[in-house]
Amino acid sequence: MPKKDVQPPILLPARMNLAEDALTDLEIAVLEFPFAEIVADFRNSMEEVLSLNRKKKVWIPYRQLNNGLLACASTLTHGFEYFDTGDYRALAVGTVENPLRVPTPEQIHELVIIWAQEWAKQFDGKGKADQVNSVCDRFVENIAIIPTNWNWQPITPKTLIQNINAEKGLGYQAIPSFLATLLHEKKCIIRSGQREQEIQWRKVQGDGSGLFLVSQPFPAVYTDDYGKEREGYFVYRLDFRVQTQAGRFNQNGKLQPWIFLHLSCQRYAHEPLIEMNYGRDISVLMGMNEERLSGYEVDSTLIRLTIENNGREDSNLWKFQLPNLLAAFKARSLETTDNILCNPARYGNLDNRSNWNRDEYYLVHAEGYKYEHENHKIGHSIKPGFSLQERGDIVAQVLELLNGVLISDNPMQSDIPAPSGQKTPLAMRDYEHISQPPSFTKQQKEKLTEKEIKQRVDNRRQERQTIIADAIERALQGKPIHIFLLWRERDTYDVTYQTLRDAFLLNEGEDFPEHIKVSSVWINDPNLLKPLDTAGLTPKDGQEFDKQIRKQHQMKLDAWRNFLKHEVIALIDPTTKPYCFAIVEIGQTKKKGVHPKQSIYRVVREACVLEKIGSQMVQTVRRPKSSDKEDESTDTSPSYSKKTEGRILNAVLDLTLRQVGALYGLPSEVYQRAGIPKEIAQNLDVIALCRRKATQGQDNIHYALAVRLRATGAVDVLFPNCQDWIPYAQAGIELGQIFSRVRRDRNYLKTVQLKGIELAKFAADVLTQVAEQPTLVLIEADVWRNERGEENGGQAWFQLKNEYLFANRDVLDFQHVPDHACIYPRDHNQLRNLLGIIRFRTGDETTQYITNRKTWNENSPARDLIHLSGFYDTSVPELLHYFSIGKLPKTQKAQDTSTARELYMLDSQDDEYGVNIAFKHQQMLEMLPFFIRSDFQKTEESIKSLCRVPHYLRISPGWSMGNIHSPYPMHLGKQLIKDRLCILGVEV
């Protein structure tokens, strides 16, 4: 029978236009912080008098001031937030129904003086008393002088519509806050079948980013998969986000904003919180029903406050010593954090009682929290997320409430389907496909003997062994590999060794390929696996605890290096100089009473890189107790849980595939399927500029590198300030050694703290050193376009910003970059092989969506995309915007049943409950090609072919669950950095 015509998927983005007169009723006022220079001078002077022998960093407690202000004045949109170098300002918005009600500058000045006095008190007893007192006295005296003409300044809303970047980008906070204020206390009704559900919106102060909305709490009771009754509370959260699009201008030639609607599920705790996420603060939403400080008006806005969670003495207390500041303000105190954490149901109006007249506290759940329930420890009972159906209906109701304010966008255009089925190139295949045994019909099973079936299975494995061996050989560019299994427990060895054989599809009695050697090494000293010894110290002991951890780290590092030198290095063949990797057993990483800093994970990683060995850690494998006696009396292999086998398989595939940069087939075949001409595809290099930012104590770690995927499958890496590309497998070792040097000598810290201008220089260096092969370069917009912060001066590659990219789409503007200082034209001789650059945006910069609807109020069933899908937006004719959306992961199959697709959170049908399904929908990845070579600019199809290259490369051979977030070479680069951040003490 002929195939039915397959209709292309419909995708409606949740982005809206602002109506021309939308902001007519908006009131906006800002109040500058006139004391920023005085505060900065105090900070600098105090650092000088405190630093006798070493630099002493003094932090300005602006967050404490802002939290104190908001805890007293909920009518503010946000406190004094940073918005430009050295400048801070407060914001308030109002509407006709919710007019501006702000404290006077005189009232705020009184609180600022008290804040300054409290800050100065913190330096009592530090440094030389006379010097410290002199600096503090001068500071308080200067703060006490109220500036003349210091007032709230009104902002004309029309200004923000005409130019979203006016007033230093004020519209990015003011417009979402205005929309949230419009909906504050408004109600809408969603309908699921015969059930109606009323949602009432309430605005929330979003920690300096403006306002968002939450609904009233909803209780949910259901029976879980094990027959147990579960209960929990959740709210609908709605964020409005202002975003722009390169080349999309208004009639004034300024960027025309989109309004993104982002719906999410926020869960509240109602049982005692007994296990938090180490090092991550706890969020609480607080509402006031009476004034906290005389003369300061309040409304029903919720305010986000945080509880410290650092394991030290101030852990589990309000952050930034907020109670002390409120006491100094002579304000009504907050509820104690112990009471809220131990009994959250008592302090939050979870059941929406109309006679509630005291403060409200809602403990916001985060993944990983555990609660006390009937003498057991459990996670939150509500699963996060909503079905596309519920998302679509809520957005439709919000648009109805904002009728005349927001105008919905049109559906996007669908691109050709990505390769699937038998025509999928090998380079887009994963291990699950490669290892899939042949299938047999019922007739074949009846006809063939068990021996014949096994022979066919073994033959299939033999046929595909070559695919795996060749993939690794291509990635390592012909160099051999030596894999070590470092184990302590026999079960760990047995399951890991067999899994390693399975990864290469080896049948019984077959050896590993010639260029792959595997050695087993028993960890002969049990002390190597013991956690770092704290000598009885705890995190509450502060610096003494940290000092002990550093001491133990070095001792354990020396012990591991000694073990590796004697037991591993001696087995390596010096004549072949292979790449060396090790799968290392490290015991159990989570043990009661063992602090995360005691883990040997980073010790082992660092020891391995210093001995030039790549590493993959696995936890000790324990066989099920029920099988112990059975195994003693039978010859069968022990049975391990699917979770254990899956964990070990992921570790083995990560080491044998991702850590060497392998793909099962030639990337050139993928490029041809994308539409790249054959003669170019067979030589095409794809270079991804990759970066990661993390925090280690008080230090920001920011590192970047470039990854090059060649058409042959070879993968290379380039580090900043280096001239030569090195193989990916070697780069992991060298990067680990760079991080290790920084850990040992802080004089090298700046080498892993790249600033914006250094990122721009690295990008310029990579782009202008393109080799003789045709090249496509991938780069994210985030951070590469601007590095926000006082120390950086905002310097980065500005051209990547939406406001500049359209006009500069055919040049490379590096005028401000050292060693370049010019604008490169498209026909520059050095750039003749550069086919183009593709800029990526994702996260908050791309919108949610719904499928199978052309309008939001259309009554059509919605379903997640089951294939990798591409869409494009032609609203800016000169700049193609391409959107990549991954297929629904296999881990989310529970949400793709015909029943689950239509379930709302509070719905149930056929023993399926909406609150028992963790709905997750794939994010959009925006791709914007620019600086396109002339032969690819001729048609829209040729431009789309460039975008399909990274779109199709959203695969990883070791990951069979779905599409990865970034194209493969970018994924490799980010993981390379992430794997080694632990050496610096960063927990990722």
Side-chain angles (χ1 to χ4, degrees), residues 622-634 638-641:
R622 305 286 187 195
R623 80 176 68 182
K625 292 181 180 179
S626 59
S627 68
D628 289 349
K629 292 182 179 179
E630 297 171 12
D631 295 337
E632 292 174 7
S633 57
T634 64
S639 175
Y640 301 98
S641 69

Side-chain angles (χ1 to χ4, degrees), residues 269-275 340-345 363 370-373 378:
H270 72 287
E271 296 176 302
L273 178 61
I274 56 176
E275 188 173 303
I340 296 169
L341 295 174
C342 292
N343 194 354
L363 179 56
K370 297 289 187 244
Y371 305 93
E372 184 180 328
H373 177 77
I378 64 169

Side-chain angles (χ1 to χ4, degrees), residues 889-910:
K890 294 175 183 176
T891 51
Q892 296 302 119
K893 62 182 180 181
Q895 73 188 52
D896 196 41
T897 67
S898 57
T899 301
R901 289 179 216 141
E902 298 186 1
L903 286 180
Y904 285 31
M905 285 289 280
L906 296 177
D907 284 347
S908 64
Q909 185 177 339
D910 301 330

Side-chain angles (χ1 to χ4, degrees), residues 311-313 534-547:
R312 301 193 187 280
E313 287 188 9
T534 63
L537 298 170
T538 69
K540 291 184 178 181
D541 294 306
Q543 292 184 359
E544 288 301 310
F545 175 79
D546 292 339
K547 184 179 178 181

Side-chain angles (χ1 to χ4, degrees), residues 580-729:
C580 296
F581 291 88
I583 301 174
V584 188
E585 178 183 346
I586 59 168
Q588 297 292 330
T589 56
K590 285 189 177 181
K591 286 185 178 179
K592 190 174 182 180
V594 177
H595 192 274
K597 286 189 175 181
Q598 293 177 255
S599 170
I600 65 169
Y601 184 95
R602 68 191 189 102
V603 171
V604 175
R605 179 79 79 193
E606 185 173 7
C608 285
V609 298
L610 292 176
E611 299 305 328
K612 299 181 180 180
I613 300 170
S615 58
Q616 176 66 47
M617 268 63 83
V618 296
Q619 295 187 53
T620 296
V621 172
R622 305 286 187 195
R623 80 176 68 182
K625 292 181 180 179
S626 59
S627 68
D628 289 349
K629 292 182 179 179
E630 297 171 12
D631 295 337
E632 292 174 7
S633 57
T634 64
D635 294 329
T636 59
S637 299
S639 175
Y640 301 98
S641 69
K642 284 187 177 181
K643 185 177 180 180
T644 294
E645 291 178 344
R647 174 167 59 84
I648 298 299
L649 177 61
N650 287 338
V652 167
L653 293 179
D654 187 78
L655 183 133
T656 56
L657 295 172
R658 199 271 303 168
Q659 290 199 38
V660 300
L663 288 171
Y664 285 129
L666 292 171
S668 58
E669 296 173 358
V670 178
Y671 308 154
Q672 286 182 245
R673 291 299 302 275
I676 303 295
K678 184 177 180 179
E679 62 277 10
I680 294 177
Q682 290 180 336
N683 297 286
L684 180 62
D685 287 343
V686 177
I687 295 177
L689 288 158
C690 316
R691 49 157 290 279
R692 267 194 179 272
K693 196 170 188 177
T695 302
Q696 195 278 315
Q698 295 183 346
D699 298 319
N700 285 324
I701 306 301
H702 196 184
Y703 199 75
L705 49 78
V707 173
R708 180 178 66 192
L709 174 63
R710 315 215 79 158
T712 60
V715 183
D716 302 302
V717 173
L718 183 69
F719 292 131
N721 302 313
C722 292
Q723 297 294 319
D724 298 322
W725 293 83
I726 60 176
Y728 184 77

Side-chain angles (χ1 to χ4, degrees), residues 7 201 247 270 368 461 634 866 886 936:
Q7 295 297 317
W201 297 108
H270 72 287
R461 288 169 69 93
T634 64
I866 58 174
F936 279 86

